[in-house]
Amino acid sequence: MGIKEVLEKLKKEGLVLEVEETLSPDVEIPILSSKLASQTPKAFLFKNVEGKEYPLVTNLYFNKFETIFQADSITLLKNFKMLSSILFDVSLDPSSKITLLARLAWVSEFYPKTIEASPFIRRSALDVDLGKLPALRHSSGEEYPVIKNPIIILFDKKLDKTLIYSEPVQVVDEKALLLHTPKKSKASLFLEEAAKHGESIDIAIIIGVSPHLQLVSNMDWIPWFNKYLLAGALSGKSVSLVRVEKNFYVPAEAEMILVGELVPGDVRPEGKMLYEDMQLYGGSPMPLVRVKSIWHKPTTVFYTSLTHPYNSDEYTLNTIREKFMLEYLQLFAPDISYLTFLSYDAYRTLILALNNPHPGRAFEVGSLVFSLTLNPNLDTIIVFSEKSKIDKIKVKELLPSLLSALRPEKILYFETIHEEDVLRQDKRGKIIVDATSLSLDYYDEEGYFLSDKHVKLREAYEKIIRELRGS
């Protein structure tokens, strides 16, 4: 099911707001969309984007998870548990052999399939004008328009290796893009390996894929698993692939594919970009992508997420990914009962809850989580007790309470990082905080972030966290 099928389904449910007026993608559409999202769960289809060639859809997933995925999170989690048991829970007992073979047969049904007939129209390098794409500027301070939630495929011909992931992309000019690549990410390691042989690598930036592939694209913490296979197993249907440009295969359900090349070491300073903490960061060198062709459907709908701590597709998708992540972490630490990333902190802070915790165990689990690289930007882990019942609170409602947790005697671990931070322009440290004995006094987190009433609390928290991180 591609973007158009999703839109048709949402239209039948009355969940699409179609906007006929001509609006600018620079600030105007993002501000209008974020304000509308606070009032309605509908997707927004902007049919006339000023100066752009394609209509734009955003907030496709926001508050519509079960409608989009045609299943609840429990069903998806059940399928994910089946997959993880194959990867991590292989018994050596001979009596379990039949069960294992049955599970492998089940997985094999969802192996990606290739199709011959291409559904795309190809535009050559001479016809490429990336300035016609309705990428968004969320703030006047953003230097370049940004595409959020694209699927990125890197293909190293020399090493015959492929990487599929998702990160924001900046549109630099009519032929070039900047690829946001956090240090320590799989993409960064992939490019470092490619730099050893110095040859260019192929890249495809894919706009508008099936919901299940969109969901798994940012789950880089799962090792050794093909994301096409994972998306197929979660959806119950194999991902169909089609060949573009020699032996480069991409999802056939995509709306648009930007195909180009990337030369390791060919970088340019990243333009300032808005993050979920509503701050602008940039300036670090990022890989430059030179686009050579565009492949698109005959009637293309361009998709991108908003940048917002709550009112966005990325926030909705991350709430589901966190359920999968918890299942994965419990394979290593069964006493983890809950986890969530703080979106208003640009997903840099992870909240964990442990059963029957103590400071020593908080340190062990925090160290384990850092070693697994759940998120390349993660730098703060705050460990609570399961007795705090943080999973029972409506949103997360934690932030003001963290003020009392961020005390020097509660810092279990602090490490200064002496390398350039791709998110911040300054240096940062890694922190593990013991909040296992904290008695929580709850506030509504979303109201806290958005309301002027809590501005002093917010400023106090931000001051403390900056000091802890060495900002």
Side-chain angles (χ1 to χ4, degrees), residues 145-178:
V146 178
I147 305 171
K148 292 272 287 190
N149 275 18
I151 308 299
I152 300 169
I153 304 176
L154 300 178
F155 177 53
D156 188 329
K157 302 180 291 294
K158 182 78 171 179
L159 301 178
D160 194 26
K161 289 184 177 180
T162 300
L163 180 67
I164 303 171
Y165 67 105
S166 181
E167 286 288 352
V169 172
Q170 295 182 329
V171 180
V172 176
D173 57 39
E174 63 181 19
K175 306 289 184 185
L177 304 165
L178 278 176

XYZ file of all heavy atoms in Angstrom, residues 145-178:
274
model
N 15.713 24.211 2.361
C 14.506 23.402 2.563
C 14.904 21.980 2.969
O 15.940 21.467 2.556
C 13.836 23.421 1.189
C 14.442 24.568 0.453
C 15.826 24.716 0.983
N 14.049 21.352 3.771
C 14.363 20.045 4.351
C 13.295 19.024 3.977
O 12.096 19.314 4.019
C 14.473 20.143 5.890
C 14.744 18.770 6.502
C 15.576 21.119 6.287
N 13.747 17.821 3.616
C 12.857 16.675 3.433
C 13.017 15.787 4.655
O 14.104 15.263 4.914
C 13.206 15.877 2.160
C 13.209 16.788 0.927
C 12.230 14.724 1.972
C 13.759 16.109 -0.325
N 11.955 15.626 5.431
C 11.972 14.755 6.610
C 11.365 13.403 6.235
O 10.430 13.321 5.446
C 11.159 15.376 7.740
C 11.754 16.635 8.324
C 12.729 16.340 9.444
C 12.035 15.888 10.708
N 12.935 15.828 11.861
N 11.892 12.349 6.848
C 11.369 10.988 6.676
C 11.583 10.373 5.296
O 10.823 9.503 4.898
C 9.876 10.915 7.010
C 9.623 10.730 8.484
O 10.508 10.979 9.288
N 8.439 10.312 8.841
N 12.596 10.758 4.533
C 12.844 10.003 3.299
C 13.508 8.675 3.640
O 14.141 8.531 4.697
C 13.816 10.901 2.530
C 14.611 11.550 3.608
C 13.642 11.792 4.748
N 13.361 7.684 2.772
C 14.116 6.443 2.903
C 15.377 6.603 2.060
O 15.310 7.023 0.898
C 13.310 5.228 2.401
C 11.934 5.187 3.070
C 14.081 3.938 2.644
C 11.964 5.060 4.562
N 16.510 6.282 2.635
C 17.793 6.451 1.943
C 18.429 5.082 1.744
O 18.512 4.281 2.681
C 18.727 7.372 2.748
C 18.085 8.760 2.918
C 20.085 7.504 2.058
C 18.784 9.641 3.909
N 18.864 4.822 0.506
C 19.557 3.576 0.193
C 20.958 3.922 -0.310
O 21.110 4.672 -1.272
C 18.825 2.759 -0.886
C 17.380 2.473 -0.464
C 19.559 1.448 -1.145
C 16.579 1.746 -1.526
N 21.959 3.409 0.375
C 23.344 3.535 -0.060
C 23.797 2.193 -0.631
O 23.579 1.151 -0.010
C 24.252 3.927 1.106
C 23.959 5.247 1.828
C 24.929 5.436 2.987
C 24.038 6.417 0.867
N 24.424 2.232 -1.795
C 24.906 1.005 -2.430
C 26.367 1.171 -2.813
O 26.708 1.999 -3.660
C 24.072 0.658 -3.661
C 24.554 -0.563 -4.404
C 24.742 -1.771 -3.743
C 24.835 -0.493 -5.762
C 25.200 -2.890 -4.427
C 25.295 -1.610 -6.458
C 25.475 -2.811 -5.779
N 27.225 0.396 -2.155
C 28.657 0.422 -2.440
C 28.954 -0.687 -3.451
O 28.973 -1.872 -3.113
C 29.450 0.204 -1.140
C 30.943 0.399 -1.321
O 31.447 0.118 -2.418
O 31.604 0.822 -0.357
N 29.179 -0.303 -4.693
C 29.425 -1.288 -5.762
C 30.701 -2.072 -5.510
O 30.780 -3.268 -5.801
C 29.513 -0.575 -7.114
C 28.282 0.236 -7.479
C 28.422 0.915 -8.824
C 29.461 2.034 -8.786
N 29.059 3.160 -7.906
N 31.710 -1.399 -5.006
C 33.005 -2.035 -4.787
C 32.911 -3.153 -3.756
O 33.463 -4.247 -3.942
C 34.008 -0.976 -4.323
C 35.424 -1.475 -4.106
C 36.156 -1.639 -5.394
C 37.639 -1.936 -5.155
N 38.380 -2.118 -6.421
N 32.205 -2.890 -2.655
C 32.097 -3.868 -1.571
C 30.816 -4.692 -1.652
O 30.622 -5.606 -0.849
C 32.167 -3.150 -0.219
C 33.436 -2.332 0.050
C 33.334 -1.631 1.400
C 34.678 -3.219 -0.003
N 29.951 -4.332 -2.614
C 28.654 -5.005 -2.774
C 27.867 -4.991 -1.460
O 27.345 -6.005 -0.994
C 28.846 -6.442 -3.255
C 27.524 -7.051 -3.748
O 26.644 -6.287 -4.176
O 27.383 -8.290 -3.688
N 27.765 -3.807 -0.866
C 27.035 -3.629 0.385
C 25.930 -2.603 0.204
O 26.091 -1.628 -0.541
C 27.969 -3.181 1.513
C 28.923 -4.249 2.002
C 29.729 -3.741 3.195
C 30.640 -4.817 3.764
N 31.412 -4.300 4.933
N 24.824 -2.808 0.918
C 23.676 -1.894 0.851
C 23.254 -1.508 2.262
O 23.271 -2.343 3.172
C 22.496 -2.557 0.122
O 22.886 -2.909 -1.196
C 21.303 -1.606 0.054
N 22.868 -0.265 2.436
C 22.335 0.211 3.722
C 21.037 0.965 3.463
O 20.968 1.800 2.561
C 23.345 1.140 4.413
C 22.900 1.710 5.768
C 22.790 0.598 6.804
C 23.869 2.790 6.248
N 20.020 0.649 4.252
C 18.717 1.322 4.169
C 18.456 2.006 5.504
O 18.534 1.359 6.557
C 17.588 0.317 3.864
C 17.885 -0.448 2.569
C 16.241 1.030 3.768
C 16.932 -1.597 2.323
N 18.134 3.281 5.484
C 17.897 4.013 6.727
C 17.103 5.272 6.418
O 16.673 5.495 5.279
C 19.219 4.351 7.423
C 20.086 5.346 6.691
C 20.190 6.657 7.134
C 20.805 4.974 5.556
C 20.985 7.584 6.461
C 21.599 5.886 4.884
C 21.682 7.188 5.338
O 22.453 8.101 4.677
N 16.897 6.124 7.419
C 16.162 7.376 7.220
C 16.796 8.492 8.032
O 17.059 8.324 9.230
C 14.696 7.201 7.639
O 13.971 8.397 7.440
N 17.076 9.600 7.374
C 17.572 10.827 8.005
C 17.094 12.011 7.170
O 16.791 11.847 5.976
C 19.099 10.840 8.086
C 19.715 9.925 9.139
C 19.505 10.405 10.570
O 19.009 11.528 10.756
O 19.863 9.650 11.493
N 17.031 13.209 7.750
C 16.635 14.384 6.960
C 17.629 14.688 5.847
O 18.816 14.369 5.942
C 16.619 15.515 7.997
C 16.503 14.828 9.320
C 17.209 13.528 9.172
N 17.127 15.316 4.789
C 17.939 15.702 3.637
C 17.664 17.171 3.338
O 16.514 17.606 3.353
C 17.597 14.835 2.403
C 18.305 15.355 1.165
C 17.951 13.377 2.651
N 18.711 17.936 3.091
C 18.570 19.348 2.745
C 18.736 19.545 1.240
O 19.648 18.976 0.631
C 19.608 20.196 3.497
C 19.414 20.202 5.002
C 20.422 21.088 5.713
O 21.550 21.260 5.269
N 20.014 21.669 6.833
N 17.863 20.354 0.660
C 17.937 20.665 -0.773
C 18.817 21.901 -0.937
O 18.419 23.022 -0.618
C 16.535 20.913 -1.359
C 16.635 21.235 -2.852
C 15.635 19.705 -1.127
N 20.042 21.698 -1.470
C 21.030 22.772 -1.558
C 20.797 23.634 -2.791
O 20.813 24.866 -2.727
C 22.458 22.182 -1.573
C 23.496 23.287 -1.757
C 22.714 21.430 -0.280
N 20.624 22.982 -3.940
C 20.354 23.700 -5.175
C 19.608 22.768 -6.115
O 19.128 21.709 -5.698
C 21.642 24.253 -5.807
C 22.684 23.166 -6.096
O 22.286 22.059 -6.520
O 23.884 23.421 -5.911
N 19.528 23.114 -7.376
C 18.694 22.336 -8.296
C 19.242 20.945 -8.607
O 18.520 20.090 -9.119
C 18.502 23.106 -9.602
C 19.784 23.352 -10.381
C 19.538 24.129 -11.658
O 18.482 24.775 -11.768
O 20.421 24.085 -12.544
N 20.521 20.702 -8.272
C 21.132 19.405 -8.594
C 21.724 18.685 -7.390
O 22.161 17.541 -7.525
C 22.263 19.582 -9.629
C 21.888 20.313 -10.909
C 20.982 19.480 -11.789
C 20.723 20.210 -13.110
N 19.757 19.494 -13.964
N 21.763 19.315 -6.214
C 22.522 18.740 -5.105
C 21.729 18.750 -3.795
O 20.881 19.615 -3.552
C 23.836 19.492 -4.919
N 22.049 17.751 -2.959
C 21.438 17.592 -1.646
C 22.535 17.409 -0.608
O 23.636 16.961 -0.918
C 20.537 16.351 -1.623
C 19.419 16.249 -2.653
C 18.890 14.821 -2.708
C 18.291 17.217 -2.310
N 22.212 17.727 0.641
C 23.093 17.416 1.763
C 22.431 16.331 2.606
O 21.252 16.431 2.951
C 23.361 18.651 2.619
C 24.454 19.600 2.137
C 24.531 20.815 3.051
C 25.812 18.895 2.087
